[in-house]
Amino acid sequence: DQQVKQNSPSLSVQEGRISILNCDYTNSMFDYFLWYKKYPAEGPTFLISISSIKDKNEDGRFTVFLNKSAKHLSLHIVPSQPGDSAVYFCAASGFPGTGANSKLTFGKGITLSVRP
Amino acid sequence: ETGVTQSPTHLIKTRGQQVTLRCSSQSGHNTVSWYQQALGQGPQFIFQYYREEENGRGNFPPRFSGLQFPNYSSELNVNALELDDSALYLCASGPWGRDTQYFGPGTRLTVL
């Protein structure tokens, strides 16, 4: 039972263009959604998060959009840079500080390649 | 400020053996969680520790156990290793009540 789904395994974009990474979830009890970036031989690095009470959160080149009715979120990277090439994981959790409910549930990840 | 560190980096064991993985939390973080990441998959939650007690557990058998120490460092112990235990084991720390967890570089465990 995969509660967080990243259906596209890979994405390739040209440097300077927009990268749009998509994520769907099935559990309506999720309260927070996060994006992590992972390089080979490193642990996941936190990028950006959004609470379920918001529909958009922006941090520099990264913007996350949340559509609760569709149970869908997306990460936009503008402009894309070659250093953005990595595996991106979408994750979701329940309300923080609630033990197992605050665990992170991850998707399988999407490999982003930014071509120079 | 030191981030999350894990040791060892790599480990090779044989079936039936026991293994202990170690993690040092980021300064100021009082929760620690452990995740297992199999090849081609996202990390899977094993358990979380807060105030030296297990505070939530994923779908892992009892042979996966852990400890959290007063200085917020942690250990993951796995008994009776199986071939399917081969994976990247990630430790993550965070402040209690906050949504973001910060990950260490992981320990790559290979079971032969």
Side-chain angles (χ1 to χ4, degrees), chain A residues 27-100:
Chain A
N27 189 341
S28 58
M29 299 302 290
F30 287 142
D31 272 311
Y32 285 87
F33 303 88
L34 307 92
W35 285 93
Y36 285 84
K37 177 172 72 174
K38 188 178 184 302
Y39 294 117
E42 294 183 11
T45 301
F46 170 72
L47 273 177
I48 191 169
S49 64
I50 187 168
S51 163
S52 60
I53 63 173
K54 296 186 177 181
D55 55 17
K56 176 183 176 181
N57 189 25
E58 194 171 353
D59 184 2
R61 296 187 297 116
F62 302 92
T63 302
V64 56
F65 295 91
L66 175 62
N67 182 334
K68 283 187 65 178
S69 60
K71 294 190 175 66
H72 176 84
L73 65 155
S74 60
L75 175 67
H76 293 209
I77 306 174
V78 183
S80 300
Q81 300 173 354
D84 295 329
S85 297
V87 178
Y88 288 78
F89 289 98
C90 170
S93 74
F95 195 78
T98 55

Side-chain angles (χ1 to χ4, degrees), chain A residues 32-34 36 38 41-46 49-50 89 93-100 102-109, chain B residues 33 35 37 40-45 48 55-59 88 90 92 96-106 108:
Chain A
Y32 285 87
F33 303 88
L34 307 92
Y36 285 84
K38 188 178 184 302
E42 294 183 11
T45 301
F46 170 72
S49 64
I50 187 168
F89 289 98
S93 74
F95 195 78
T98 55
S102 65
K103 70 177 182 182
L104 294 176
T105 300
F106 285 83
K108 290 187 176 183
Chain B
S33 301
Y35 291 80
Q37 186 180 12
Q41 303 294 317
Q44 298 287 315
F45 176 74
Q48 182 185 80
N55 185 51
R57 187 177 187 94
N59 189 26
L88 179 68
L90 295 161
W96 175 258
R98 298 289 300 275
D99 58 289
T100 307
Q101 296 179 30
Y102 298 89
F103 285 82
R108 173 70 62 186

Side-chain angles (χ1 to χ4, degrees), chain B residues 41-85:
Chain B
Q41 303 294 317
Q44 298 287 315
F45 176 74
I46 302 175
F47 42 56
Q48 182 185 80
Y49 276 80
Y50 171 63
R51 290 184 174 176
E52 303 172 48
E53 291 190 1
E54 188 178 291
N55 185 51
R57 187 177 187 94
N59 189 26
F60 281 82
R63 59 189 184 85
F64 285 78
S65 63
L67 287 171
Q68 185 186 29
F69 300 101
N71 64 354
Y72 305 130
S73 64
S74 176
E75 288 182 356
L76 165 66
N77 299 289
V78 187
N79 293 322
L81 283 167
E82 301 177 359
L83 296 179
D84 285 348
D85 295 334

